[in-house]
mmCIF file with all atom_site columns, all heavy atoms in Angstrom:
data_model
loop_
_atom_site.group_PDB
_atom_site.id
_atom_site.type_symbol
_atom_site.label_atom_id
_atom_site.label_alt_id
_atom_site.label_comp_id
_atom_site.label_asym_id
_atom_site.label_entity_id
_atom_site.label_seq_id
_atom_site.pdbx_PDB_ins_code
_atom_site.Cartn_x
_atom_site.Cartn_y
_atom_site.Cartn_z
_atom_site.occupancy
_atom_site.B_iso_or_equiv
_atom_site.pdbx_formal_charge
_atom_site.auth_seq_id
_atom_site.auth_comp_id
_atom_site.auth_asym_id
_atom_site.auth_atom_id
_atom_site.pdbx_PDB_model_num
ATOM 1   N N   . TYR J 1 44 ? 45.155 65.777 91.783 1.00 92.00 ? 44 TYR J N   1
ATOM 2   C CA  . TYR J 1 44 ? 44.146 64.846 91.164 1.00 92.00 ? 44 TYR J CA  1
ATOM 3   C C   . TYR J 1 44 ? 44.625 63.417 90.945 1.00 92.00 ? 44 TYR J C   1
ATOM 4   O O   . TYR J 1 44 ? 43.843 62.515 90.598 1.00 92.00 ? 44 TYR J O   1
ATOM 5   C CB  . TYR J 1 44 ? 43.738 65.387 89.742 1.00 92.00 ? 44 TYR J CB  1
ATOM 6   C CG  . TYR J 1 44 ? 42.955 66.604 89.860 1.00 92.00 ? 44 TYR J CG  1
ATOM 7   C CD1 . TYR J 1 44 ? 43.539 67.883 89.380 1.00 92.00 ? 44 TYR J CD1 1
ATOM 8   C CD2 . TYR J 1 44 ? 41.661 66.717 90.294 1.00 92.00 ? 44 TYR J CD2 1
ATOM 9   C CE1 . TYR J 1 44 ? 42.889 69.052 89.411 1.00 92.00 ? 44 TYR J CE1 1
ATOM 10  C CE2 . TYR J 1 44 ? 40.981 67.908 90.355 1.00 92.00 ? 44 TYR J CE2 1
ATOM 11  C CZ  . TYR J 1 44 ? 41.605 69.083 89.913 1.00 92.00 ? 44 TYR J CZ  1
ATOM 12  O OH  . TYR J 1 44 ? 40.912 70.280 89.960 1.00 92.00 ? 44 TYR J OH  1
ATOM 13  N N   . GLY J 1 45 ? 45.882 63.179 91.249 1.00 92.00 ? 45 GLY J N   1
ATOM 14  C CA  . GLY J 1 45 ? 46.437 61.797 91.074 1.00 92.00 ? 45 GLY J CA  1
ATOM 15  C C   . GLY J 1 45 ? 46.572 61.424 89.542 1.00 92.00 ? 45 GLY J C   1
ATOM 16  O O   . GLY J 1 45 ? 46.687 62.317 88.723 1.00 92.00 ? 45 GLY J O   1
ATOM 17  N N   . ASP J 1 46 ? 46.376 60.230 89.294 1.00 89.00 ? 46 ASP J N   1
ATOM 18  C CA  . ASP J 1 46 ? 46.595 59.666 87.955 1.00 89.00 ? 46 ASP J CA  1
ATOM 19  C C   . ASP J 1 46 ? 45.421 60.024 87.023 1.00 89.00 ? 46 ASP J C   1
ATOM 20  O O   . ASP J 1 46 ? 45.472 59.696 85.829 1.00 89.00 ? 46 ASP J O   1
ATOM 21  C CB  . ASP J 1 46 ? 46.655 58.091 87.906 1.00 89.00 ? 46 ASP J CB  1
ATOM 22  C CG  . ASP J 1 46 ? 47.999 57.761 88.589 1.00 89.00 ? 46 ASP J CG  1
ATOM 23  O OD1 . ASP J 1 46 ? 48.937 58.498 88.570 1.00 89.00 ? 46 ASP J OD1 1
ATOM 24  O OD2 . ASP J 1 46 ? 48.080 56.632 89.150 1.00 89.00 ? 46 ASP J OD2 1
ATOM 25  N N   . ARG J 1 47 ? 44.406 60.622 87.549 1.00 91.00 ? 47 ARG J N   1
ATOM 26  C CA  . ARG J 1 47 ? 43.226 60.997 86.625 1.00 91.00 ? 47 ARG J CA  1
ATOM 27  C C   . ARG J 1 47 ? 43.598 62.074 85.641 1.00 91.00 ? 47 ARG J C   1
ATOM 28  O O   . ARG J 1 47 ? 43.070 62.208 84.600 1.00 91.00 ? 47 ARG J O   1
ATOM 29  C CB  . ARG J 1 47 ? 42.061 61.516 87.494 1.00 91.00 ? 47 ARG J CB  1
ATOM 30  C CG  . ARG J 1 47 ? 41.505 60.386 88.343 1.00 91.00 ? 47 ARG J CG  1
ATOM 31  C CD  . ARG J 1 47 ? 40.340 60.906 89.241 1.00 91.00 ? 47 ARG J CD  1
ATOM 32  N NE  . ARG J 1 47 ? 40.822 61.834 90.225 1.00 91.00 ? 47 ARG J NE  1
ATOM 33  C CZ  . ARG J 1 47 ? 40.104 62.551 91.049 1.00 91.00 ? 47 ARG J CZ  1
ATOM 34  N NH1 . ARG J 1 47 ? 38.802 62.513 90.953 1.00 91.00 ? 47 ARG J NH1 1
ATOM 35  N NH2 . ARG J 1 47 ? 40.685 63.394 91.882 1.00 91.00 ? 47 ARG J NH2 1
ATOM 36  N N   . ILE J 1 48 ? 44.684 62.907 86.031 1.00 93.00 ? 48 ILE J N   1
ATOM 37  C CA  . ILE J 1 48 ? 45.089 63.980 85.092 1.00 93.00 ? 48 ILE J CA  1
ATOM 38  C C   . ILE J 1 48 ? 46.546 63.661 84.747 1.00 93.00 ? 48 ILE J C   1
ATOM 39  O O   . ILE J 1 48 ? 47.401 63.663 85.483 1.00 93.00 ? 48 ILE J O   1
ATOM 40  C CB  . ILE J 1 48 ? 45.057 65.348 85.826 1.00 93.00 ? 48 ILE J CB  1
ATOM 41  C CG1 . ILE J 1 48 ? 43.705 65.645 86.456 1.00 93.00 ? 48 ILE J CG1 1
ATOM 42  C CG2 . ILE J 1 48 ? 45.486 66.444 84.895 1.00 93.00 ? 48 ILE J CG2 1
ATOM 43  C CD1 . ILE J 1 48 ? 42.580 65.614 85.405 1.00 93.00 ? 48 ILE J CD1 1
ATOM 44  N N   . ASN J 1 49 ? 46.709 63.469 83.443 1.00 91.00 ? 49 ASN J N   1
ATOM 45  C CA  . ASN J 1 49 ? 48.097 63.273 82.876 1.00 91.00 ? 49 ASN J CA  1
ATOM 46  C C   . ASN J 1 49 ? 48.409 64.350 81.884 1.00 91.00 ? 49 ASN J C   1
ATOM 47  O O   . ASN J 1 49 ? 48.263 64.230 80.719 1.00 91.00 ? 49 ASN J O   1
ATOM 48  C CB  . ASN J 1 49 ? 48.203 61.840 82.251 1.00 91.00 ? 49 ASN J CB  1
ATOM 49  C CG  . ASN J 1 49 ? 49.633 61.472 81.959 1.00 91.00 ? 49 ASN J CG  1
ATOM 50  O OD1 . ASN J 1 49 ? 50.491 62.366 81.762 1.00 91.00 ? 49 ASN J OD1 1
ATOM 51  N ND2 . ASN J 1 49 ? 49.845 60.184 81.780 1.00 91.00 ? 49 ASN J ND2 1
ATOM 52  N N   . PHE J 1 50 ? 48.895 65.456 82.471 1.00 89.00 ? 50 PHE J N   1
ATOM 53  C CA  . PHE J 1 50 ? 49.182 66.641 81.642 1.00 89.00 ? 50 PHE J CA  1
ATOM 54  C C   . PHE J 1 50 ? 50.276 66.383 80.619 1.00 89.00 ? 50 PHE J C   1
ATOM 55  O O   . PHE J 1 50 ? 50.115 66.877 79.490 1.00 89.00 ? 50 PHE J O   1
ATOM 56  C CB  . PHE J 1 50 ? 49.623 67.773 82.601 1.00 89.00 ? 50 PHE J CB  1
ATOM 57  C CG  . PHE J 1 50 ? 49.750 69.093 81.969 1.00 89.00 ? 50 PHE J CG  1
ATOM 58  C CD1 . PHE J 1 50 ? 48.660 69.702 81.331 1.00 89.00 ? 50 PHE J CD1 1
ATOM 59  C CD2 . PHE J 1 50 ? 51.019 69.782 81.965 1.00 89.00 ? 50 PHE J CD2 1
ATOM 60  C CE1 . PHE J 1 50 ? 48.787 70.908 80.694 1.00 89.00 ? 50 PHE J CE1 1
ATOM 61  C CE2 . PHE J 1 50 ? 51.121 70.999 81.358 1.00 89.00 ? 50 PHE J CE2 1
ATOM 62  C CZ  . PHE J 1 50 ? 50.016 71.578 80.692 1.00 89.00 ? 50 PHE J CZ  1
ATOM 63  N N   . ALA J 1 51 ? 51.240 65.549 80.954 1.00 86.00 ? 51 ALA J N   1
ATOM 64  C CA  . ALA J 1 51 ? 52.274 65.221 80.002 1.00 86.00 ? 51 ALA J CA  1
ATOM 65  C C   . ALA J 1 51 ? 51.731 64.523 78.847 1.00 86.00 ? 51 ALA J C   1
ATOM 66  O O   . ALA J 1 51 ? 52.117 64.797 77.609 1.00 86.00 ? 51 ALA J O   1
ATOM 67  C CB  . ALA J 1 51 ? 53.367 64.369 80.678 1.00 86.00 ? 51 ALA J CB  1
ATOM 68  N N   . GLU J 1 52 ? 50.864 63.618 79.012 1.00 90.00 ? 52 GLU J N   1
ATOM 69  C CA  . GLU J 1 52 ? 50.160 62.877 77.995 1.00 90.00 ? 52 GLU J CA  1
ATOM 70  C C   . GLU J 1 52 ? 49.363 63.836 77.069 1.00 90.00 ? 52 GLU J C   1
ATOM 71  O O   . GLU J 1 52 ? 49.343 63.737 75.876 1.00 90.00 ? 52 GLU J O   1
ATOM 72  C CB  . GLU J 1 52 ? 49.261 61.757 78.562 1.00 90.00 ? 52 GLU J CB  1
ATOM 73  C CG  . GLU J 1 52 ? 48.538 60.881 77.499 1.00 90.00 ? 52 GLU J CG  1
ATOM 74  C CD  . GLU J 1 52 ? 47.796 59.827 78.232 1.00 90.00 ? 52 GLU J CD  1
ATOM 75  O OE1 . GLU J 1 52 ? 48.335 58.746 78.525 1.00 90.00 ? 52 GLU J OE1 1
ATOM 76  O OE2 . GLU J 1 52 ? 46.618 60.075 78.485 1.00 90.00 ? 52 GLU J OE2 1
ATOM 77  N N   . PHE J 1 53 ? 48.655 64.761 77.783 1.00 93.00 ? 53 PHE J N   1
ATOM 78  C CA  . PHE J 1 53 ? 47.895 65.774 77.040 1.00 93.00 ? 53 PHE J CA  1
ATOM 79  C C   . PHE J 1 53 ? 48.776 66.634 76.135 1.00 93.00 ? 53 PHE J C   1
ATOM 80  O O   . PHE J 1 53 ? 48.499 66.801 74.973 1.00 93.00 ? 53 PHE J O   1
ATOM 81  C CB  . PHE J 1 53 ? 47.124 66.608 78.029 1.00 93.00 ? 53 PHE J CB  1
ATOM 82  C CG  . PHE J 1 53 ? 46.441 67.860 77.378 1.00 93.00 ? 53 PHE J CG  1
ATOM 83  C CD1 . PHE J 1 53 ? 45.433 67.781 76.452 1.00 93.00 ? 53 PHE J CD1 1
ATOM 84  C CD2 . PHE J 1 53 ? 46.914 69.120 77.769 1.00 93.00 ? 53 PHE J CD2 1
ATOM 85  C CE1 . PHE J 1 53 ? 44.846 68.944 75.934 1.00 93.00 ? 53 PHE J CE1 1
ATOM 86  C CE2 . PHE J 1 53 ? 46.371 70.266 77.191 1.00 93.00 ? 53 PHE J CE2 1
ATOM 87  C CZ  . PHE J 1 53 ? 45.314 70.115 76.347 1.00 93.00 ? 53 PHE J CZ  1
ATOM 88  N N   . MET J 1 54 ? 49.923 67.036 76.644 1.00 90.00 ? 54 MET J N   1
ATOM 89  C CA  . MET J 1 54 ? 50.866 67.937 75.890 1.00 90.00 ? 54 MET J CA  1
ATOM 90  C C   . MET J 1 54 ? 51.404 67.139 74.704 1.00 90.00 ? 54 MET J C   1
ATOM 91  O O   . MET J 1 54 ? 51.721 67.673 73.718 1.00 90.00 ? 54 MET J O   1
ATOM 92  C CB  . MET J 1 54 ? 51.989 68.417 76.855 1.00 90.00 ? 54 MET J CB  1
ATOM 93  C CG  . MET J 1 54 ? 51.496 69.354 77.932 1.00 90.00 ? 54 MET J CG  1
ATOM 94  S SD  . MET J 1 54 ? 50.937 70.932 77.248 1.00 90.00 ? 54 MET J SD  1
ATOM 95  C CE  . MET J 1 54 ? 52.510 71.657 76.914 1.00 90.00 ? 54 MET J CE  1
ATOM 96  N N   . ALA J 1 55 ? 51.658 65.807 74.898 1.00 91.00 ? 55 ALA J N   1
ATOM 97  C CA  . ALA J 1 55 ? 52.176 65.008 73.803 1.00 91.00 ? 55 ALA J CA  1
ATOM 98  C C   . ALA J 1 55 ? 51.332 64.945 72.631 1.00 91.00 ? 55 ALA J C   1
ATOM 99  O O   . ALA J 1 55 ? 51.739 64.631 71.515 1.00 91.00 ? 55 ALA J O   1
ATOM 100 C CB  . ALA J 1 55 ? 52.521 63.612 74.328 1.00 91.00 ? 55 ALA J CB  1
#
Side-chain angles (χ1 to χ4, degrees):
Y44 294 109
D46 292 333
R47 296 179 290 173
I48 307 298
N49 189 335
F50 187 61
E52 184 177 272
F53 169 65
M54 293 293 284

